[in-house]
Amino acid sequence: MTKLSVNINKVATLRNARGGNNPDVIRVAQDCERFGAQGITVHPRPDERHIRYQDVMDLQKVVTTEFNIEGSPNGRFLELVKKIKPTQVTLVPDAEDVLTSDTGWDTIKYEAFLTEIIAELKSYGMRTSIFINPAKDLITGAAKVGADRIEFYTGPYAEQYSKDREQAIEAYVECAKLANGLGLGINAGHDLDLTNLHYLKHQIPALKEVSIGHALICDALYYGLENTIQMYLRELQ
């Protein structure tokens, strides 16, 4: 079974645009779980332009499914996750001014850095995942640094899907086979939606989790949040 983790960053973006607490990020997270989501994902950034660090603290008190915190492993982020101790920490190599995540880790270049951080996070009992591009040498590197899982950066897959879905998925399938052989769990995220999710799931049957935010929240404007979550869950069957 592939779990659906709903990224609620965009809910916080909407709240922050007006000030106040509408929509209520905490309530939305609870509703997502009530409507069937099997996890909640947040990705706090240094400028707190969407999810704030206080939001993460507040969410820790109420999330009952898997709590996945994504982010670049700077000092403030690491202190946050060590305090929260979420189910999973997903390390993403974001620059501070990046609009949205646009590439994965170079696990060869940053081998020593990632090995040290992952060992520390695992000592606190957190599952670790590395945001990564579908390249075999990087997958091997992810296993070498001690990660429990990888999260495929699926932006290129989503971009190419409408042109040639078989070509779009090819590298991911090959890398998934390698990851399985190395004992790495497989997650995926970025630009996944109701159009391309089902094919990804069935081409990578060992997929453990997808993290979806932007497209799901956009769809919820038309279909409603509860119905949208159920639609995404059906795509993962």
Side-chain angles (χ1 to χ4, degrees), residues 23-62:
D24 184 333
V25 169
I26 306 304
R27 180 178 176 181
V28 170
Q30 292 176 303
D31 285 340
C32 286
E33 292 183 318
R34 185 163 59 89
F35 297 152
Q38 297 120 335
I40 299 295
T41 292
V42 293
H43 188 147
R45 288 187 163 88
D47 62 6
E48 298 187 283
R49 64 180 179 268
H50 36 62
I51 284 291
R52 299 168 181 156
Y53 282 73
Q54 185 59 50
D55 292 330
V56 183
M57 302 291 291
D58 295 339
L59 286 163
Q60 188 268 341
K61 302 171 186 176
V62 301

Side-chain angles (χ1 to χ4, degrees), residues 45 101 152 233:
R45 288 187 163 88
S101 304
F152 279 133
L233 288 171

Side-chain angles (χ1 to χ4, degrees), residues 20 54 59 69 77 90 128 130 145-146 168 198 207 229 232:
Q54 185 59 50
L59 286 163
I69 303 179
F77 177 85
T90 301
T128 59
I130 293 181
V145 301
H198 185 79
L207 191 62
I229 287 174
Y232 274 84

Side-chain angles (χ1 to χ4, degrees), residues 211-227:
S211 174
I212 304 177
H214 183 80
L216 189 150
I217 299 303
C218 290
D219 287 333
L221 294 175
Y222 292 93
Y223 305 126
L225 184 59
E226 181 175 8
N227 188 39

Side-chain angles (χ1 to χ4, degrees), residues 69-230:
I69 303 179
E70 302 180 341
S72 178
N74 57 44
R76 189 182 181 196
F77 177 85
L78 292 173
E79 287 304 312
L80 176 70
V81 296
K82 284 188 284 187
K83 185 179 296 184
I84 298 295
K85 296 183 178 63
T87 314
Q88 179 173 265
V89 178
T90 301
L91 302 179
V92 183
D94 280 346
E96 287 196 8
D97 60 348
V98 70
L99 179 63
T100 185
S101 304
D102 57 7
T103 192
W105 283 99
D106 183 336
T107 54
I108 299 168
K109 180 178 180 180
Y110 293 101
E111 178 182 345
F113 175 72
L114 290 169
T115 298
E116 180 179 354
I117 289 174
I118 287 171
E120 181 179 8
L121 294 175
K122 291 173 76 169
S123 74
Y124 284 88
M126 294 174 269
R127 185 171 72 226
T128 59
S129 180
I130 293 181
F131 198 60
I132 200 164
N133 299 333
K136 289 185 177 180
D137 57 338
L138 301 179
I139 305 299
T140 301
K144 193 172 182 180
V145 301
D148 299 303
R149 294 189 184 182
I150 55 169
E151 179 179 332
F152 279 133
Y153 167 50
T154 49
Y157 161 74
E159 184 177 354
Q160 299 174 33
Y161 179 84
S162 62
K163 302 171 187 175
D164 186 336
R165 67 179 190 175
E166 291 182 1
Q167 182 177 358
I169 198 68
E170 184 177 5
Y172 294 90
V173 172
E174 292 302 313
C175 286
K177 292 175 182 177
L178 175 60
N180 284 335
L182 293 171
L184 291 165
I186 303 170
N187 300 337
H190 203 85
D191 290 341
L192 296 176
D193 59 25
L194 291 171
T195 301
N196 58 44
L197 181 59
H198 185 79
Y199 186 70
L200 178 82
K201 155 66 180 172
H202 284 272
Q203 293 300 308
I204 306 177
L207 191 62
K208 291 185 176 296
E209 174 187 298
V210 291
S211 174
I212 304 177
H214 183 80
L216 189 150
I217 299 303
C218 290
D219 287 333
L221 294 175
Y222 292 93
Y223 305 126
L225 184 59
E226 181 175 8
N227 188 39
T228 297
I229 287 174
Q230 290 300 310

